[in-house]
Structures are given as structure tokens and as C-alpha cells.
Amino acid sequence: MVVNDDDRPIRARGGCLCGSVRFLVRGPLVDIKACHCLICRRLHSYCCAYTACETVDLEIQPSPKLRWYRPSPTSRRGFCSKCGTQLFSFATGRDHVSLMASSLDEPTGLRLVKHICVNQKGDYYEIADGLPQEGGRDPGGWH
Ligand SMILES: [Zn+2]
């Protein structure tokens, strides 16, 4: 995460529902994966759609409303303390950060490409869009 006068082009902008927390990305975003793990479903009620960027490409504008929650000792999730929007997920040892796809300003130019952690999906829905499904988390690490 950098907060400086980076002059690389802005790939995407995003933020929370109330606008108190805004960010931008100066670098590529990966296509979207939908995570069905219990943490995501507790936080979002349903699966969560994530994209990701290199950590150094994410610039979070300073905000007194930004808060962090640690669902595990090795991860932290950023959210807006005013409106509650989930925004970022960092994990120890990774060089990328996962971004909630819903936080991006549209058009995103991204596509949903895969479902992950489907072994933890809720019993109240089926995944029927024909996209690839993986039981566990990606080896590369997502959220
Ligand atoms: Zn907010």
C-alpha cells in the first residue's frame, strides 16, 4: 500500500457505500472468484466476489472511518465503520490484496471466472452457472 505521488495510470477506483473510504488501483486486476467459505458467508450473507491486485498497486485514501478486523491471526479485513462496507482482505506473506468486487466503480472490465471454497458453501443455494468450482482455497491464496 503506497500513499505517494505515483504517476502510473489508474486502473480502477472504488470505495464504500457511504463514500467515507475511497481507494484506487494503479496496476492490473485479476478476474473475479466467488468464495463460498464460512467467513465470507458470515460477512456477506452469500458468497463474496473478489478481485485482487498487487499490494503495492493499491492506494487507500486516508480515512478516519477505515477499520480493520482480523478473522484469523494471519489476515485482516478493511471495512468502513460508518456504513459497514467490506473493502479489502490482506493476508500475511502475500504480495497481493483481495478487493471486494462490489467496491469497484463500474465498469470494472472484469468477469466472474470461478467458484472457490465450495466445500463450505451454504446449504440454502446451489451453484448452477457452469463455471469451474474448487473445494478449497486457491494455492495462490485468495482472501
Ligand atoms: Zn462507508
Side-chain angles (χ1 to χ4, degrees), residues 4 39 48 64 67 71-72 76 89 92 105 113 133-134 141 143:
N4 59 23
I39 291 172
C48 183
R67 296 285 189 280
S72 76
R76 63 188 174 109
S89 180
T92 303
D105 298 344
V113 294
Q133 299 183 22
E134 290 182 3
H143 81 79

Side-chain angles (χ1 to χ4, degrees), residues 11 13 23 29-30 58 60 63 81 98 101 124-125 127 137:
R11 162 63 180 86
R13 296 177 188 273
F23 65 88
L29 292 167
V30 299
L58 175 65
I60 303 171
S63 170
S81 61
S98 294
Y124 46 87
Y125 63 90
I127 304 169
R137 295 184 180 174

Side-chain angles (χ1 to χ4, degrees), residues 16-21 80 82-85:
C16 67
L17 181 61
C18 75
S20 295
V21 182
C80 174
K82 182 176 178 183
C83 69
T85 302

